[in-house]
Amino acid sequence: MAKALSGLAAKAPGMIKGVVDYSTPKLNTFWHYARVELTPPTPADIPKITTGLQSLVKSAKTGKWRQVTVKEAWLNTLITAEIAFWFFVGECIGKGSIVGYKV
């Protein structure tokens, strides 16, 4: 047993270095996208948001939504399903159980 532990202790620095070398580029990529995608909107983003909402309302009024390709429609369906999924997961977390509220 002691021999196995001493062998593991001897290999640990090399294993840790391998894990660090493997994970460093992946973590750098994660942090790059996390800084860009996970930040809340700034006041400079508000005009872009209102323009996007106005174009969405305009396309709904003119019927442009009927002119999407099957690929775009499928992508929109997946995005809607993901938003609904996370909404329901948040509801379950918030109420503390899967079924019913504690009244």
Side-chain angles (χ1 to χ4, degrees):
M1 181 73 174
K3 196 176 200 182
L5 287 176
S6 65
L8 182 62
K11 293 179 184 176
M15 292 172 63
I16 291 172
K17 182 183 181 322
V19 168
V20 169
D21 290 344
Y22 175 78
S23 62
T24 299
K26 295 186 183 302
L27 284 172
N28 288 339
T29 303
F30 168 77
W31 285 118
H32 169 74
Y33 287 113
R35 281 188 207 104
V36 173
E37 297 292 332
L38 299 177
T39 57
T42 61
D45 294 335
I46 304 251
K48 294 177 191 172
I49 294 170
T50 46
T51 304
L53 287 174
Q54 289 171 349
S55 68
L56 181 68
V57 169
K58 182 181 174 187
S59 66
K61 286 181 181 177
T62 60
K64 187 179 176 187
W65 58 272
R66 290 182 273 171
Q67 304 296 327
V68 295
T69 63
V70 174
K71 185 176 182 178
E72 289 173 342
W74 178 244
L75 184 63
N76 291 340
T77 303
L78 289 176
I79 290 170
T80 303
E82 182 183 8
I83 291 169
F85 170 77
W86 286 114
F87 171 78
F88 291 122
V89 166
E91 281 287 310
C92 291
I93 291 170
K95 66 185 172 186
S97 68
I98 293 177
V99 180
Y101 287 95
K102 295 177 184 170
V103 180

